[in-house]
Amino acid sequence: MRLTTKGRFAVTAMVDLALRGGDGPVTLAGISERQRISLSYLEQLFGKLRRHALVESVRGPGGGYCLAKDMHTVSVADIIRAVDEPIDATQCGGRENCHDDHRCMTHDLWTKLNDKIYEYLASVTLGDLVESQHVKNIAVLQDKREAAQTPAGKSAAYI
Amino acid sequence: MRLTTKGRFAVTAMVDLALRGGDGPVTLAGISERQRISLSYLEQLFGKLRRHALVESVRGPGGGYCLAKDMHTVSVADIIRAVDEPIDATQCGGRENCHDDHRCMTHDLWTKLNDKIYEYLASVTLGDLVESQHVKNIAVLQDKREAAQTPAGKSAAYI
DNA sequence: CTTTACTCGACTAAAACAATCGGGTATTAT
DNA sequence: ATAATACCCGATTGTTTTAGTCGAGTAAAG
Ligand code: FES
Ligand code: FES
């Protein structure tokens, strides 16, 4: 199973990109600073994302990256698949040969686990993440407002 | 995320154990030979399984390991948790601090993925695996019988 | 009192991962 | 032109994790 910080960074970076994709290309330097991810590492990741046609690049000053597709059509699974090797929880990698050229007793278990993981990651789109991010920001703003109104603070939680 | 051959071996070994737990303790040497897992490695794994009360040991000649509970009450998740560190797909490990002491934008995504994985692994018991193993053995026998009846072989699949 | 078989911690080799580096190229602005 | 911006890319490195070994020990059976 391959699910590493590489994939996590890629998703984070893509959310950042989607959040400010509105006005022209977004630079890696910006993402690097906002998300605290090393610039060279981002370059590596975005190379793969571009080769998998998830983003498009614009070179030169004023350049950067844009989403290549609508954010609602890009799933988290797509992103992770682009930067990590394909997700696979089986020992044999689908070859069904890990016990003397025979499928082992647990092959089906891992295959089905793969399906479950993939199913979930494919069900969440970049758009979903962006939306939930907006909701959260609104929630945070409301929290702050409420906190300002009731300086007693936590007591509000016990109504 | 931690889902390694260690966990896979542990599950395989436990299935082996459950399959022949009927008549007394099963030796690691036997499991080692049947499943092609190094004996010393098995010793390491069963140490953990015992400390997590999933198996019981009997020392001395004629000794070995038995299941400590009914095989239908032991889930795959229990086994993997016993030998690997706890499964966790988040970056922060639940501390919600990977972006400046703040929960990052993707924290919820990974948390939910964790839940999905855990939910599935917890839904499959050792008993289920043993049963599906029996079914498969019967299926294999049937396959062989059919193959013997129709030497043309694969053609049977196209009925 | 010897054999079997579990017990335990320390250790090592190999692989995977995270991250960096250095030298590019395309584009724009001056 | 040429300087500055920003993407492009392969090679390399240091670190961590994983897989697996080793050796010395203990309990029980016969
Ligand atoms: S995991 Fe596929 S044969 Fe064992
Ligand atoms: S994964 Fe938990 S805060 Fe980022």
Side-chain angles (χ1 to χ4, degrees), chain B residues 10-64:
Chain B
V11 174
T12 303
M14 286 291 277
V15 173
D16 187 284
L17 181 54
L19 276 168
R20 32 198 105 223
D23 21 53
V26 179
T27 68
L28 291 190
I31 298 179
S32 167
E33 199 178 311
R34 283 188 296 274
Q35 307 299 334
R36 310 294 165 92
I37 305 173
S38 127
L39 177 58
S40 345
Y41 205 25
L42 278 175
E43 286 178 339
Q44 206 182 95
L45 297 180
F46 273 78
K48 296 192 183 192
L49 291 171
R50 185 174 53 79
R51 268 170 248 131
H52 282 79
L54 295 180
V55 298
E56 276 161 5
S57 63
V58 180
R59 301 177 78 148

Side-chain angles (χ1 to χ4, degrees), chain A residues 73-92:
Chain A
T73 69
V74 179
S75 74
V76 173
D78 294 332
I79 298 172
I80 294 183
R81 235 181 333 188
V83 297
D84 270 329
E85 304 314 309
I87 293 176
D88 185 355
T90 61
Q91 170 84 322
C92 60

Side-chain angles (χ1 to χ4, degrees), chain A residues 10-27:
Chain A
V11 174
T12 302
M14 286 291 277
V15 173
D16 186 284
L17 181 54
L19 275 168
R20 29 198 107 223
D23 22 51
V26 178
T27 69

Side-chain angles (χ1 to χ4, degrees), chain A residues 88-99 101-108 110-111, chain B residues 8 12:
Chain A
D88 185 355
T90 61
Q91 170 84 322
C92 60
R95 272 169 285 104
E96 311 192 352
N97 61 348
C98 66
H99 189 256
D101 268 10
H102 240 75
R103 107 164 27 177
C104 72
M105 295 185 299
T106 55
H107 180 89
D108 287 350
W110 308 123
T111 302
Chain B
R8 279 192 282 261
T12 303

